[in-house]
Amino acid sequence: MKKSLLIGIAAASVLALSACSAGSDSAAPAGGGDALTPVTVGVIPIADTAPLYLGFDQGFFEDEGLELTIETATGGAAIVPAIVNGDYQFGFSNLGSLMVAKDKGLPLELVSAAVASTGDVTSDMGAIVVSGDSPIETLADLNGKTVSTNSLNNLLDTVARSTIDSAGGDSSTVSFVEIPFPDSSAAVENGQVDAAFVVEPFVTSALENGNRVLSYGFAEFADKLDIAAYFSSAATVAGDAELVTKFQAAMKKSLEYAQANPDAVRAIIATYTETPAEVLAKIVLPTYPTEFNVDAVTALSEAALKYGVVENAPDMSTFLP
């Protein structure tokens, strides 16, 4: 049964990864009757989480007997403690952050795929951009330069370091600095940084401002790299297997629907962010897989270990659901 989504406009159109700084905004879609089991999911109001909103709108969660409440935040830093404390049953975060959390011993368990790169090295949802008149032509030209990402020692700089080294550069000579996505394009244009690793809609915005793409980093790192996942606490996974199974089933339907209906994805994003319609029409959407790309996630874990993001690479047999 299709339902209308009751949710306030997000405070900003931050189409970013979950490594952003903490902050919060909330929305609680109306649920079903008393027979439904309440479930709260903490997410970031970005394109990556569109399937969850579509799943609510299409009634997929209600079909599984779940009364869905969506709590939004500007970053995973606010979501993780809410999961650990049991305030939320499920949450959304990028895989870099989840690898770090597991490495630190936090009791978290991945339960569902969420979003991945397109795998297209000529058009993807994440890119390293430089100014239009920059002399930098290849990733190797970034030696000795400054590159911004939205969070340090996390997903983006791990991918950037790996792709730079693979291209014949030396990432140890690159200075990575933390700049929020909305400010990255200006930082490139005014020379504050030589390059910036950004995601949509900031890739599109950067191009419209005269910048150019140096590398579609995610796609060059691995084919259809998983960017993020839905996760829960170890206590919920162990103590309420039925709830987890229902959530996984609803998410699978939601991801499949989003992947098959890109126009619906763009339309639903407009209901929970302030992204202008003309930008939504141009951005490159991610893919919404129902299964993890184990080889790509393994490569990411190895890179995280190589570049000191984690002390121990996660065992894929236990890290992935």
Side-chain angles (χ1 to χ4, degrees):
M1 178 176 64
K2 185 173 181 179
K3 306 180 67 176
S4 59
L5 185 64
L6 304 179
I7 183 164
I9 297 298
S13 60
V14 184
L15 293 189
L17 297 176
S18 55
C20 299
S21 300
S24 66
D25 186 13
S26 64
D34 294 338
L36 301 179
T37 300
V39 59
T40 301
V41 183
V43 302
I44 306 164
I46 58 177
D48 300 12
T49 55
L52 183 73
Y53 291 88
L54 283 172
F56 174 86
D57 194 44
Q58 294 296 313
F60 297 148
F61 289 89
E62 184 174 338
D63 289 346
E64 296 297 329
L66 301 177
E67 181 181 357
L68 177 65
T69 295
I70 299 174
E71 292 287 346
T72 65
T74 58
I79 296 173
V80 169
I83 295 292
V84 174
N85 295 334
D87 297 325
Y88 304 164
Q89 286 71 50
F90 302 98
F92 171 93
S93 184
N94 82 63
L95 287 181
S97 293
L98 290 171
M99 288 179 183
V100 171
K102 292 287 284 186
D103 189 47
K104 292 181 177 180
L106 293 180
L108 304 177
E109 299 290 341
L110 278 64
V111 298
S112 172
V115 62
S117 156
T118 65
D120 185 347
V121 297
T122 66
S123 178
D124 197 18
M125 43 74 75
I128 298 174
V129 299
V130 296
S131 63
D133 59 357
S134 171
I136 298 171
E137 297 293 339
T138 70
L139 287 170
D141 293 337
L142 290 174
N143 284 359
K145 301 298 192 295
T146 301
V147 179
S148 72
T149 63
N150 71 316
S151 180
L152 298 180
N153 295 316
N154 209 285
L155 176 69
L156 270 67
D157 54 348
T158 297
V159 169
R161 290 180 191 279
S162 181
T163 53
I164 290 169
D165 289 341
S166 295
D170 182 359
S171 67
S172 68
T173 70
V174 178
S175 297
F176 286 91
V177 297
E178 185 173 312
I179 296 178
F181 287 135
D183 303 324
S184 297
S185 184
V188 169
E189 291 158 23
N190 64 29
Q192 182 181 352
V193 297
D194 298 294
F197 199 158
V198 294
V199 299
E200 290 287 22
F202 304 109
V203 176
T204 295
S205 297
L207 294 176
E208 292 185 340
N209 288 338
N211 297 322
R212 61 182 168 83
V213 170
L214 179 67
S215 165
Y216 287 102
F218 294 137
E220 292 195 19
F221 177 83
D223 182 42
K224 295 187 177 179
L225 173 68
D226 288 283
I227 305 300
Y230 287 94
F231 66 101
S232 187
S233 68
T236 296
V237 172
D240 201 340
E242 182 178 4
L243 178 67
V244 173
T245 298
K246 289 180 177 181
F247 177 79
Q248 290 172 324
M251 276 310 310
K252 185 174 187 295
K253 295 176 186 176
S254 301
L255 291 163
E256 290 173 341
Y257 185 85
Q259 186 61 30
N261 295 276
D263 289 343
V265 170
R266 295 178 193 276
I268 203 75
I269 292 171
T271 69
Y272 63 88
T273 79
E274 293 179 342
T275 309
E278 60 271 21
V279 174
L280 279 176
K282 296 178 181 178
I283 64 172
V284 177
L285 293 176
T287 59
Y288 301 110
T290 58
E291 300 290 340
F292 288 95
N293 182 340
V294 179
D295 289 342
V297 178
T298 299
L300 179 62
S301 71
E302 292 171 347
L305 180 63
K306 176 180 179 179
Y307 297 110
V309 176
V310 296
E311 294 183 2
N312 300 284
D315 180 350
M316 290 300 115
S317 67
T318 56
F319 181 67
L320 299 178

